Amino acid sequence: LGPAKLSTKPEGDPKPDAGEGQLKAFDNGALSQAECLKFRDNLFEVIEELRIRRVTDAENEERISQLVKEKHQLERTREEEAGATTELEKKHTQEITDLHKQYKEQIQQ
């Protein structure tokens, strides 16, 4: 197998060579062994990154779901406690009013 064909065009040149879009690593229709190994290594790296990303995405989705459930539970608890606080305030206000009436009655007697 012969060496890979490389572009002689300087980097950053905006005009592509004729056939620049084609893979330059081909020489007589075959990849060199080094190019095959590099391609294989790059492919395995990309596959591993995708696998890790899928696992991470699944973990993140599960965590988001847990956080949403926790948020709803906390909101329900807050609403229940707000209702209980309102009831206690009403009860306290009524007790203060009753005590005030009793005090006035005692003073008038």
Side-chain angles (χ1 to χ4, degrees):
L1 297 175
K5 293 182 182 178
L6 299 175
S7 176
T8 57
K9 189 177 82 148
E11 283 191 24
D13 188 358
K15 295 182 248 168
D17 290 340
E20 178 89 358
Q22 297 177 355
L23 184 61
K24 297 290 184 180
F26 283 100
D27 186 31
N28 296 329
L31 288 171
S32 71
Q33 185 176 8
E35 291 167 335
C36 284
L37 291 173
K38 185 174 182 177
F39 177 78
R40 184 196 71 179
D41 291 345
N42 288 339
L43 180 62
F44 285 149
E45 184 177 329
V46 168
I47 290 171
E48 182 64 16
E49 287 174 5
L50 285 173
R51 186 191 66 75
I52 291 169
R53 182 167 183 170
R54 285 181 183 157
V55 169
T56 303
D57 286 349
E59 290 171 352
N60 288 341
E61 288 293 326
E62 179 64 27
R63 182 69 179 138
I64 289 169
S65 177
Q66 289 173 351
L67 290 172
V68 167
K69 288 178 185 176
E70 183 179 349
K71 177 186 173 226
H72 290 303
Q73 180 62 37
L74 289 171
E75 286 175 349
R76 280 192 297 268
T77 302
R78 181 185 53 86
E79 289 170 1
E80 290 171 0
E81 289 177 356
T85 301
T86 301
E87 288 299 316
L88 287 172
E89 286 174 350
K90 287 179 184 177
K91 185 177 177 182
H92 178 71
T93 302
Q94 184 62 41
E95 288 176 356
I96 294 293
T97 303
D98 291 345
L99 287 173
H100 190 68
K101 284 180 185 178
Q102 287 175 3
Y103 177 71
K104 280 187 175 184
E105 287 174 4
Q106 286 179 355
I107 291 177
Q108 290 176 357
Q109 290 180 2

